[in-house]
Amino acid sequence: MKTKAINWLLKALLAGAAAFALLCLFCALWYKVPVHSTNQDGATEFKYEPNTFYSRGVEGFAMGRTNSDGFPELLDYAPGDQVDVLLLGSSHLEGYSVPPEKNAAAVLGRLFDGEKAVYSIAMAGHTFPYCAKHLEKALEVYQPQVAVIELASLSYDPAAMDAATDGTLPDIPSHAGGFVTLLQKLPFLRHMYNKYFNRGNDVVKAAAVMETEVSGADFDASLARLLEKLGEVSRAHGVKTILVHVPTVVPDAEGRAVLEVKPGERESFQRLSEENGLIFLDLTERFVSALEDDHELLFGFANTAPGHGHINSRGHELFAEAVYGCIENGEG
């Protein structure tokens, strides 16, 4: 009886191991994100493992490899390589949900047709305050002529903007090294954690959008201080900095655009950007027209809720076209 129990237990363990291996194999194609670790050069909070395969099938479907610098970029990078246009932003611009050849950096590079080298260091969790926090280091490392910062929202917490201005914005932790890294390299465990247990990083949430109402005067004061700093950093490095607002535009029951923006925010960004020598490129009209006139959804994918989630390939294309026009023709 004892031998039978041991044999049954061994068979169960082998069956479980085989099932786990098959699930990891499946997830290697369905959901495999490289492990990230602290970015030592300070241009971003973290970067991914370089030259590593990735795949995402949970929102859209895309696969590729991180480049030699640890970013999901088509172009490799070595210190000293020419970068004319540097893109900074969040997971929207990072583009893990679209094929790498269709993300904004790749499209913008093709629009310049070799005249300018375009490079993206956009990373998940890097909301506007984090991009602002790292702008000076990013300009020192990559030395671009133009810096483009994506703003997926305009409703940033004044406390987070103040922290980005004075250098006290908390770091986004990277859980890497030893056994933790090994666990993250098992695609099934990584997928299950992100699906059922990961509720987001509290530090990133705090720097994302306002959860409580604040006065317009407090918002404007914090934004003014932050944009003043960005203007000073940009001028010190001889860089033109463009802030690109990518509005969340979703359709209502009749197909009309619904915007998630608070009254006065766009006007504040426009006015304060001009006062500090920055360019505010607002894509609201372009995105609304795409939805209402051309009946195009710029957010969402075939395997997600239509109109919701990250920007899709068409959204990346409109972003790139607008930035190209702004740089080439001065179109704001």
Side-chain angles (χ1 to χ4, degrees):
M1 181 66 74
K2 186 175 181 180
T3 302
K4 288 184 178 181
I6 293 175
N7 288 338
W8 181 90
L9 181 60
L10 289 174
K11 290 178 180 179
L13 290 174
L14 288 173
F20 181 77
L22 288 173
L23 288 169
C24 283
L25 180 62
F26 173 77
C27 285
L29 297 176
W30 185 248
Y31 184 88
K32 185 180 185 301
V33 179
V35 178
H36 64 71
S37 57
T38 301
N39 188 348
Q40 298 301 322
D41 63 30
T44 56
E45 290 285 305
F46 52 81
K47 61 172 63 175
Y48 298 106
E49 298 170 290
N51 303 310
T52 301
F53 172 80
Y54 69 81
S55 64
R56 285 285 294 271
V58 295
E59 186 184 16
F61 187 78
M63 61 175 59
R65 294 183 68 84
T66 55
N67 71 351
S68 58
D69 196 23
F71 296 100
E73 245 276 0
L74 284 177
L75 301 177
D76 280 331
Y77 176 83
D81 284 355
Q82 178 178 341
V83 174
D84 298 305
V85 181
L86 182 68
L87 306 184
L88 302 91
S90 67
S91 55
H92 282 290
L93 198 59
E94 180 185 53
Y96 261 136
S97 296
V98 301
E101 68 275 7
K102 293 185 178 182
N103 69 28
V107 175
L108 185 58
R110 289 195 293 271
L111 289 173
F112 280 118
D113 194 23
E115 294 182 2
K116 294 185 184 297
V118 180
Y119 191 70
S120 175
I121 59 171
M123 298 290 280
H126 285 57
T127 56
F128 175 52
Y130 277 102
C131 292
K133 170 186 175 181
H134 291 279
L135 179 62
E136 185 165 19
K137 281 293 185 180
L139 299 185
E140 291 176 359
V141 172
Y142 296 101
Q143 301 181 8
Q145 300 171 358
V146 179
V148 178
I149 303 177
E150 166 250 329
L151 287 74
S153 169
L154 299 180
S155 302
Y156 299 101
D157 186 354
M161 291 192 288
D162 289 340
T165 301
D166 60 29
T168 60
L169 191 65
D171 295 340
I172 301 175
S174 285
H175 304 291
F179 187 62
V180 174
T181 296
L182 176 62
L183 290 177
Q184 292 185 71
K185 286 179 177 292
L186 296 172
F188 176 66
L189 292 182
R190 185 84 176 269
H191 179 49
M192 288 298 100
Y193 172 76
N194 281 286
K195 185 174 179 61
Y196 295 109
F197 301 103
N198 186 11
R199 295 294 178 261
N201 188 289
D202 291 337
V203 171
V204 176
K205 286 181 179 178
V209 296
M210 288 184 289
E211 295 187 354
T212 58
E213 291 296 326
V214 299
S215 71
D218 289 341
F219 177 84
D220 283 4
S222 294
L223 180 61
R225 288 191 289 270
L226 182 55
L227 295 187
E228 181 181 12
K229 178 181 179 179
L230 295 189
E232 293 173 351
V233 168
S234 300
R235 288 189 294 274
H237 290 271
V239 171
K240 175 195 296 185
T241 296
I242 305 172
L243 308 180
V244 186
H245 175 38
V246 181
T248 299
V249 179
V250 296
D252 63 13
E254 298 179 358
R256 291 190 296 256
V258 177
L259 298 173
E260 297 180 3
V261 63
K262 294 181 174 64
E265 288 177 343
R266 294 167 62 191
E267 292 77 10
S268 292
F269 264 91
Q270 181 69 57
R271 172 175 54 83
L272 294 171
S273 294
E274 290 178 357
E275 290 178 3
N276 290 285
L278 307 168
I279 297 174
F280 180 62
L281 179 58
D282 187 2
L283 303 188
T284 299
E285 280 71 28
R286 288 178 174 88
F287 275 37
V288 169
S289 176
L291 176 63
E292 296 185 344
D293 300 334
D294 302 326
H295 309 293
E296 296 177 322
L297 293 174
L298 307 181
F299 296 81
F301 303 84
N303 56 353
T304 62
H308 296 270
H310 287 94
I311 56 173
N312 54 34
S313 297
R314 181 56 178 149
H316 277 265
E317 187 176 21
L318 285 182
F319 180 100
E321 291 172 353
V323 171
Y324 176 79
C326 182
I327 294 174
E328 287 292 279
N329 308 312
E331 298 175 1

